[in-house]
Amino acid sequence: MFRNWRIGSVNGVLLAAYFIPAWILVAFNIMVAPVHGLYERPSVAVALFLSDHLQMAGMDTVRAAWLLALGRLTVVAFFAIYLALLCIPRVRKNGGSDEALGIALAIGSIISFASMVMASKVGEMAALRLHATELLLLLGAAIVIVIERPAPAPKTVEAAPPLGLEQAELLHNR
């Protein structure tokens, strides 16, 4: 069963195994209580940056928290689509699920990079380490996906029947 799995596929499954539960929990906490969920460890740098540097009011902070939760849920959704596509052997062999993984990696990298920059601006070192680690995981998976391409399908050449004396080779016969 595992003979046709590529390294990028296994790497994507391991990333999905981390990001789906971790980011769903963070997004759920933000959806239930936006301000309280935003000030928890995974999002505290964003909250401090919004309140200190951008000086957002209460309702604007809630909207920003919901936007962050929506971004995280989008990444989780693309990881789930990737896992669903990976279960189909034909799609897995020709790399058809790599597009969903690529979108999840791109959006997740943007969120992690922005959160890492915000954590460095506010001096939140634990959040900086968390977001830097997530960013390195996502970028490493993206590099593996870019470098490892699926094996090309074998090309079949159709043998043309030999022309006999009764068949003339004309331009429209090719």
Side-chain angles (χ1 to χ4, degrees):
M1 176 182 166
F2 291 107
R3 288 179 298 190
N4 57 9
W5 281 69
R6 300 176 300 141
I7 293 174
S9 299
V10 174
N11 192 12
V13 168
L14 291 174
L15 277 177
Y18 168 74
F19 279 101
I20 288 175
W23 281 26
I24 275 187
L25 185 63
V26 171
F28 181 73
N29 288 339
I30 290 174
M31 287 187 299
V32 169
V35 176
H36 185 268
L38 191 62
Y39 278 95
E40 288 183 358
R41 173 72 47 125
S43 304
V44 71
V46 177
L48 292 175
F49 185 83
L50 292 176
S51 65
D52 292 348
H53 292 283
L54 299 181
Q55 299 169 353
M56 285 191 168
M59 197 60 200
D60 292 333
T61 304
V62 170
R63 288 186 187 118
W66 286 338
L67 186 63
L68 179 64
L70 180 65
R72 287 181 183 255
L73 286 177
T74 304
V75 172
V76 166
F78 277 109
F79 272 125
I81 291 169
Y82 170 72
L83 290 177
L85 289 174
L86 210 58
C87 292
I88 305 169
R90 184 184 62 221
V91 174
R92 182 179 58 242
K93 287 178 189 174
N94 67 8
S97 59
D98 288 346
E99 185 175 345
L101 179 62
I103 293 171
L105 293 176
I107 297 172
S109 295
I110 291 169
I111 292 172
S112 291
F113 180 74
S115 299
M116 184 183 71
V117 169
M118 290 178 197
S120 70
K121 291 286 185 188
V122 297
E124 188 66 36
M125 297 315 290
L128 178 67
R129 282 189 219 104
L130 172 70
H131 298 303
T133 303
E134 287 177 347
L135 181 63
L136 287 174
L137 285 171
L138 293 167
L139 291 178
I143 290 170
V144 169
I145 292 298
V146 166
I147 290 177
E148 181 193 36
R149 288 278 141 216
K155 295 183 179 181
T156 57
V157 178
E158 295 181 18
L163 294 176
L165 293 175
E166 66 276 354
Q167 291 181 336
E169 185 176 356
L170 301 174
L171 290 177
H172 68 276
N173 283 346
R174 289 184 187 186

